[in-house]
Amino acid sequence: CLGALGTWLEAAPSKVKVRLVLSGGICRPFIVPPVPGVKTALELQRIATAMAPKQTGLSGACSVWVDRGDSSQARVAAAMQVAHQEELLQMVNAVRAKRHVVFSMRPWWSDLLRAALRRNRATAVVAAQDCDSLTVLVGQGDSFELATTLTPVIDRATADAALARMTLSVDTGEGQMLVGRLMLERAQQGEGAPSDVALGPL
C-alpha cells in the first residue's frame, strides 16, 4: 500500500491535499468510559492513550483521538500505532518537490458512522467491513456501548458470522442497523452508491 501511495504521489500534480482513509486494522475504535474526577480533555486523552494497546490489541506506542462529548458518558476513541502514522506522513513528505499536504487522516468506519447518524439518529448498530477488518459500533445517538474491530477479516461470510454473534443481544428495530462494505474490485460507481461517505463509489 505504501508503495502504491508513493507512486501515486509522484505522478500527482503539485500541492495536492491528501485525504488518507485508513482501514479498521490500522485504526481501531474502543470505548473510553466516564472517569470520575477527570476535568479536562487533556486528562481524558492521557487516560485513553494508556488504555489503547489493551483495548485495541495494537502493540507499541499509539496515537489516540477521543470523540468530543459529555464527560459523564462513554466516548468512542480511535487508535493507531505511532509507527504506522509516521510511515504515512513520511511517505507524503518524501515527495518534497510536490509539496503535498495531508488534509485528513481517519478510518473509513468513522466516516460511515458519521454518515449513518446524519441520516438516522436512531441507528443502533453500524458495521464497517473494509479490506482487512470488520468494525462494529453499537449505541444510540452519541452514547456507545461497544466499539471494536476484528482483524483480519477479508471475506463476507466471516464478517456476517462475527456480526451476528456480536449483535445477538442487541435489540434493533427496522432500519436501525447499517452495514457498509468496501468492494475494492468494483470498477465503477454502481447505482445508489453513497456520495456522502468516503470511497462511496466502492
Side-chain angles (χ1 to χ4, degrees):
C1 289
L2 288 172
L5 175 62
T7 301
W8 184 89
L9 290 169
E10 289 282 2
S14 295
K15 298 182 182 178
V16 168
K17 290 183 178 179
V18 182
R19 182 181 180 190
L20 296 171
V21 181
L22 308 174
S23 73
I26 295 291
C27 189
R28 306 178 190 181
F30 64 100
I31 297 292
V32 181
V35 181
V38 170
K39 297 178 180 177
T40 69
L42 182 59
E43 287 178 301
L44 188 63
Q45 177 76 32
R46 287 176 177 157
I47 290 169
T49 300
M51 292 173 60
K54 184 176 180 181
Q55 295 297 316
T56 62
L58 293 170
S59 58
C62 291
S63 290
V64 176
W65 299 267
V66 182
D67 197 15
R68 291 187 294 268
D70 187 337
S71 60
S72 66
Q73 290 187 327
R75 300 194 218 176
V76 174
M80 73 181 294
Q81 289 173 295
V82 170
H84 285 157
Q85 183 184 14
E86 289 177 348
E87 273 184 317
L88 285 166
L89 294 175
Q90 285 170 6
M91 178 63 70
V92 176
N93 293 331
V95 191
R96 295 185 185 280
K98 298 294 184 85
R99 292 161 53 187
H100 299 312
V101 175
V102 175
F103 177 70
S104 73
M105 183 187 301
R106 64 181 63 186
W108 184 65
W109 58 260
S110 73
D111 208 55
L112 185 68
L113 175 65
R114 176 197 52 77
L117 293 180
R118 189 171 61 198
R119 293 177 194 174
N120 180 9
R121 295 294 294 176
T123 301
V125 177
V126 174
Q129 183 183 0
D130 54 35
C131 59
D132 65 5
S133 64
L134 173 72
T135 298
V136 180
L137 301 110
V138 177
Q140 198 72 45
D142 295 323
S143 177
F144 290 90
E145 304 159 19
L146 174 71
T148 190
T149 294
L150 300 178
T151 187
V153 174
I154 57 173
D155 64 278
R156 182 167 183 159
T158 302
D160 286 348
L163 180 59
R165 286 193 302 273
M166 282 192 281
T167 58
L168 197 59
S169 61
V170 179
D171 185 19
T172 55
E174 186 68 28
Q176 287 189 304
M177 178 184 292
L178 179 96
V179 180
R181 299 179 203 276
L182 280 183
M183 294 183 285
L184 301 179
E185 71 281 0
R186 180 178 284 178
Q188 59 188 10
Q189 180 167 328
E191 282 190 34
S195 60
D196 61 342
V197 180
L199 308 178
L202 301 175

